Amino acid sequence: MEGKKMKIGVLVLLCLLLLICACACLGSGEQQKIDGQKALVGTWKYDKAIDETGTEVQEDLSNTLLSVYEDGTAKLSLEEVITVDLTWEYINQDKEGVYYQLCKEGDDGESNTVIQAEMVSSSTTDKASLAGYLCLENDEDAAGAMLAFIKTSDEPTEVLSMVEKAQALADGVQSAIDKQGSEPTTEGERQALEKAYDYLEYTAFSYTGLIEQLEFEEFSNSEATYAADNCGADWNEQAALKAQQYLEYSSFSRSGLIEQLEFEGFTHSQAEYGVTQNGY
């Protein structure tokens, strides 16, 4: 009797072990799905280009950003020279990645250019070195290499070309002239204000940096302060422009770029805004 009980116990134990193994096998073979719509939304920064053989190739696209919005639109900024308006659509996903189509409307308003995109899964076997990247099928702009973007923020970033930013700055300056709250009371104030406009049309300044520059031009502190107070500059946007200018010729960490902007006279909050607008 005791021997029979022992056999039954062993059989029960074996059944339990088989059941556990079967569940584990099912779980390992089951693909873990993600929210394909939500996963794409945010800011993606160009990191590298890969040719058909999987070899990294040199492409000077370091200032290229892709900003993706929840409403199915996206904006690609190529080297901050031009921007491309896109629409996007989630297609499907498998163990290798999540697949999308990005679409650029043709100049005639009818023909469309379709760009295939894949967010490479961490469980991929074919593209392990690209896990976590968003890979865009490339066009003639980069010799056929696939462009790989890394996500820098879950929030989309407003991307503007240099021309658009210059126009926005010019519009802001003109608006400040049109809506100027206090008229200059002296010729020195008028000249300082005009000089401030001249500076802001071609480079970015912090509030204190602009005052110091005007004082360097031998305006008095009161004249320089009047000009900074009445030039209509958005100091947050000035911080973003200054950060962009630094990134065009040098590399910075996020904290290093914030420190550099603070050195230029921007407040901490302005500096944080500036680096965030540039994809950090």
Side-chain angles (χ1 to χ4, degrees):
M1 179 69 70
E2 289 182 2
K4 185 179 286 188
K5 287 182 178 178
M6 183 176 293
K7 287 181 180 180
I8 293 172
V10 170
L11 286 173
V12 170
L13 181 59
L14 286 173
C15 288
L16 287 173
L17 289 173
L18 288 171
L19 182 61
I20 291 171
C21 290
C23 290
C25 290
L26 287 173
S28 62
E30 190 174 290
Q31 179 189 345
Q32 184 177 2
K33 289 197 172 184
I34 64 172
D35 186 337
Q37 298 280 354
K38 185 177 180 180
L40 188 64
V41 173
T43 301
W44 297 81
K45 187 173 184 180
Y46 169 82
D47 186 67
K48 55 188 173 182
I50 308 293
D51 66 15
E52 293 180 353
T53 67
T55 304
E56 187 171 342
V57 295
Q58 294 298 318
E59 295 295 347
D60 188 17
L61 298 171
S62 57
N63 290 323
T64 295
L65 288 178
L66 175 66
S67 195
V68 182
Y69 299 87
E70 289 183 353
D71 63 359
T73 63
K75 200 161 189 177
L76 180 65
S77 171
L78 297 167
E79 281 293 285
E80 299 173 344
V81 176
I82 60 172
T83 56
V84 180
D85 291 317
L86 303 166
T87 57
W88 65 272
E89 178 184 5
Y90 165 73
I91 304 301
N92 56 36
Q93 61 182 283
D94 58 25
K95 68 176 184 178
E96 295 297 322
V98 187
Y99 304 94
Y100 304 89
Q101 278 190 348
L102 282 72
C103 186
K104 175 184 177 295
E105 186 176 285
D107 294 334
D108 56 8
E110 297 180 1
S111 61
N112 295 322
T113 300
V114 176
I115 302 170
Q116 304 297 334
E118 176 187 356
M119 188 188 304
V120 183
S121 170
S122 58
S123 61
T124 183
T125 55
D126 295 337
K127 303 173 183 175
S129 64
L130 293 173
Y133 280 85
L134 178 67
C135 297
L136 271 59
E137 171 192 88
N138 204 12
D139 54 22
E140 66 276 5
D141 290 337
M146 178 174 61
L147 301 184
F149 290 74
I150 192 72
K151 198 170 193 179
T152 58
S153 173
D154 289 330
E155 297 295 327
T157 299
E158 182 182 10
V159 292
L160 298 173
S161 68
M162 293 291 289
V163 173
E164 290 171 324
K165 287 183 178 182
Q167 185 59 53
L169 180 57
D171 291 345
V173 170
Q174 186 59 51
S175 176
I177 295 173
D178 296 339
K179 300 178 181 179
Q180 191 174 315
S182 61
E183 294 293 331
T185 57
T186 67
E187 181 63 17
E189 288 179 348
R190 188 179 71 81
Q191 291 293 330
L193 185 58
E194 289 186 2
K195 179 62 72 173
Y197 291 146
D198 290 342
Y199 277 126
L200 292 171
E201 283 182 354
Y202 72 84
T203 193
F205 284 91
S206 66
Y207 176 79
T208 57
L210 182 57
I211 290 175
E212 289 173 359
Q213 183 62 38
L214 292 171
E215 288 179 335
F216 178 79
E217 294 283 350
E218 299 188 351
F219 289 101
S220 68
N221 179 262
S222 62
E223 291 167 343
T225 301
Y226 169 85
D229 287 338
N230 291 276
C231 66
D234 182 324
W235 304 114
N236 279 331
E237 294 304 323
Q238 290 294 305
L241 286 171
K242 180 60 75 173
Q244 173 192 318
Q245 290 166 4
Y246 275 120
L247 291 172
E248 285 175 357
Y249 67 83
S250 187
S251 299
F252 288 87
S253 64
R254 175 181 169 84
S255 60
L257 187 53
I258 288 174
E259 289 177 4
Q260 184 62 41
L261 291 174
E262 289 177 337
F263 177 78
E264 291 283 348
F266 292 100
T267 66
H268 185 71
S269 63
Q270 290 166 355
E272 285 195 326
Y273 176 89
V275 300
T276 300
Q277 289 302 300
N278 281 275
Y280 264 121

